[in-house]
Amino acid sequence: MKHFTLIIIALITAAATAQGRFDDVQITVEKVTDHIYMLQGAGGNIGISTGKDGVFMIDDQFAPLSKKITAAIKTISDQPVSFLVNTHFHGDHTGGNLNFEAAGAMIVAHDNVRKRLAADEKTASAGLPVITFSEDATFYQNDDDVFLTHVHNAHTDGDALVYFAQSNVLHTGDTFFNGNFPFIDTDRGGSIQGDIDAAKKGLMLINEDTKIIPGHGKLATKADYQKYHDMLVNVYTSVFKAIESNKTLEEVTAMESITSEYLTDEESAKSFITGPKFRSTVYKSILENIEINK
């Protein structure tokens, strides 16, 4: 009985700690166009389209933030969330699915997002996408043609770009980290080449006037996005040459010169993805691709 009681106490403490880490999070609302907004708090950037068709939402951060996010949405619209798009399956973009589903939102995502959420015992029973697509989908919401397109094996194996055609706004999900090195989840289908291809596809969709909501970081421009793409290409090229020169993973991980043009290791030391971590990921991703294509 004592052992059981200790387990219960531990579970309650863990739940309280998880909730507590979000207590001080503030949800900020940034106007992007006359009816599109970017919300930031903890986790991935949220996109919101408002209008006569209701609220069209992209990503939803963590479950404990749903009430704060809902309150923030109510400052810009009195309509309910009609559709919720998950740009990929990671918890900082899908953690609120169950809460928004319960409030009436219809969840939309790539096929692989549903598969990965369904395979996770924490998310298998509810909050799953009820509409999925394999390549592209288009929604007609709030006077925008909203184009969803799958980008293969980029940040994960289920990423989607979301482009509001008439408003000229692009949400990239985590295929674009503005101002930081990206997290490429190679264990779940992500790859450096796929991330490059995703940026290339996104750049083809937009023009100089497009406003870009990245997965993380500040609202971006095409110039920011192009810089990110070029960084990915240059790092890929440098690491590939190092592999051809028989450099080991440890050696490449230590080669700050590969990435210092963009961020020094000191500048990225407190980031989720540091310079050494990024170089290591690129090395492993390239090597894996070489093995696959042998």
Side-chain angles (χ1 to χ4, degrees), residues 20-30 38-46 61 64-65 67-72:
R21 62 185 276 241
F22 297 107
D23 286 349
D24 296 330
V25 173
Q26 300 296 315
I27 306 299
T28 63
V29 179
E30 181 173 356
M38 179 174 79
L39 275 56
Q40 292 184 297
N45 291 334
I46 295 171
Q61 299 191 355
L65 293 173
K67 289 183 179 180
K68 291 184 178 182
I69 292 167
T70 300

Side-chain angles (χ1 to χ4, degrees), residues 192-193 236 239-244 282-294:
I192 179 62
Q193 185 59 61
Y236 176 98
V239 174
F240 190 88
K241 288 179 179 177
I243 291 173
E244 286 187 317
V282 173
Y283 184 100
K284 292 175 183 177
S285 180
I286 292 174
L287 210 60
E288 182 178 341
N289 188 57
I290 290 172
E291 291 297 321
I292 290 173
N293 290 306
K294 274 186 176 180

Side-chain angles (χ1 to χ4, degrees), residues 42-59:
N45 291 334
I46 295 171
I48 296 290
S49 166
T50 61
K52 58 182 174 55
D53 299 315
V55 172
F56 187 94
M57 183 175 182
I58 304 170
D59 290 338

